[in-house]
Amino acid sequence: VVLDSAERKAIILEGARRLCREAQVTLNEDEGLLEEVAGLTEWPVPLLGSIDAQFMDVPPEVLIVSMKMHLRFLTTAKADGSLASRFVVVANNVARDGGKTIVAGNERVLRGRLADAKFFWDQDRKQTLESRLPALKQIVFHAKLGTQAERVERIVKLAGDLAKAVPGVDASQAEQAARLCKADLVSGMVGEFPELQGVMGRYYALGEKLPAAVSDAIGDHYAPAGPNDRCPSAPVSVVVALADKLDTLTS
């Protein structure tokens, strides 16, 4: 047992960096995840695994959520900054076979999660965001505030009003983005990975060839999620993000 948590963190970080150098990828360093993994292990042994090529066309955010949030894997990047097909898993002991069985087991678990994600990704794109709107009538936002569909109507109205006050905004795009911003809540992917609400809406909107400003506003409208998060800066994104937050605040 390595008693000192700082020492465990250092072992994980140094080992992960070395493995990534050898594989010619870069470790995506994540202080929070590193802290968590150091707390879950007593004798940390970093090992390098691979993501099946068939899953690499799924949006990187989906792969990252599956690996980081659900399986506590450290992710890696290629030279251009895009997600690489390697991950670091931290075992809790030194295996006799050098970790081959542990890596194979973790790759198998990841394959199962990503097979679900790929299924939802393929299925969700068969339906437009617009066609999902009626399903929002079945989701209660708050007992005294009605359904998500009623909430969307309020956000659309607010976005139309706010568009008059923000320079460079196409009011019709702002209202379109506001109307579709919650549609991904009833998609299979967000049902499985709630952390991806907004993110998936943007991907589905881009897939439907909606204007880039509309797609980005759908993806940005939850931001900022806290004091350290970025704020939307594109005019349409600003309007929809403000409308969403003002509705919550006043409600």
Side-chain angles (χ1 to χ4, degrees):
V1 175
V2 179
L3 289 176
D4 187 349
S5 64
E7 190 181 341
R8 293 198 300 274
K9 276 172 66 176
I11 290 168
I12 294 167
L13 194 55
E14 286 164 20
R17 283 173 176 165
R18 177 178 49 75
L19 289 169
C20 289
R21 272 198 305 275
E22 291 168 2
Q24 298 183 314
V25 293
T26 306
L27 180 70
N28 291 327
E29 296 185 15
D30 183 318
E31 184 61 31
L33 183 57
L34 186 61
E35 190 83 39
E36 189 175 358
V37 174
L40 290 168
T41 52
E42 296 174 338
W43 189 269
V45 180
L47 302 166
L48 199 64
S50 299
I51 306 168
D52 278 12
Q54 61 173 316
F55 301 122
M56 292 308 291
D57 63 342
V58 175
E61 291 90 342
V62 177
L63 303 181
I64 290 167
V65 164
S66 295
M67 290 189 285
K68 178 181 163 182
M69 307 291 288
H70 298 270
L71 299 169
R72 307 298 185 269
F73 295 166
L74 297 161
T75 62
T76 64
K78 298 179 193 171
D80 62 2
S82 62
L83 188 71
S85 62
R86 309 304 298 272
F87 63 85
V88 176
V89 58
V90 183
N92 201 27
N93 58 15
V94 179
R96 292 175 190 168
D97 64 356
K100 289 178 185 174
T101 305
I102 294 171
V103 169
N106 279 279
E107 287 176 344
R108 188 168 64 250
V109 172
L110 180 62
R111 265 197 302 278
R113 286 211 68 92
L114 295 185
D116 287 347
K118 186 170 173 59
F119 172 78
F120 291 130
W121 169 242
D122 292 337
Q123 292 300 308
D124 284 347
R125 288 180 296 164
K126 294 176 182 177
Q127 202 175 335
T128 64
L129 290 174
E130 188 80 40
S131 70
R132 294 185 181 279
L133 295 179
L136 293 176
K137 294 175 183 175
Q138 310 304 316
I139 303 175
V140 175
F141 170 56
H142 185 282
K144 296 180 181 178
L145 299 172
T147 64
Q148 285 285 10
E150 290 170 297
R151 183 185 182 204
V152 164
E153 289 307 313
R154 296 196 299 271
I155 295 171
V156 170
K157 185 178 184 307
L158 272 168
D161 292 340
L162 286 165
K164 301 167 190 169
V166 178
V169 173
D170 180 323
S172 64
Q173 286 189 348
E175 289 181 4
Q176 182 183 21
R179 190 166 60 255
L180 300 176
C181 70
K182 305 294 182 188
D184 68 349
L185 293 178
V186 290
S187 66
M189 187 72 88
V190 174
E192 180 74 5
F193 303 100
E195 305 92 339
L196 295 174
Q197 55 189 8
V199 172
M200 296 316 303
R202 177 178 176 275
Y203 276 110
Y204 298 146
L206 287 170
E208 291 175 37
K209 303 288 192 291
L210 296 182
V214 171
S215 303
D216 289 344
I218 292 170
D220 286 344
H221 85 279
Y222 288 105
N228 300 318
D229 196 15
R230 63 181 183 82
C231 284
S233 55
V236 177
S237 296
V238 168
V239 165
V240 181
L242 278 174
D244 180 60
K245 286 163 187 60
L246 286 170
D247 174 67
T248 305
L249 190 64
T250 54
S251 296

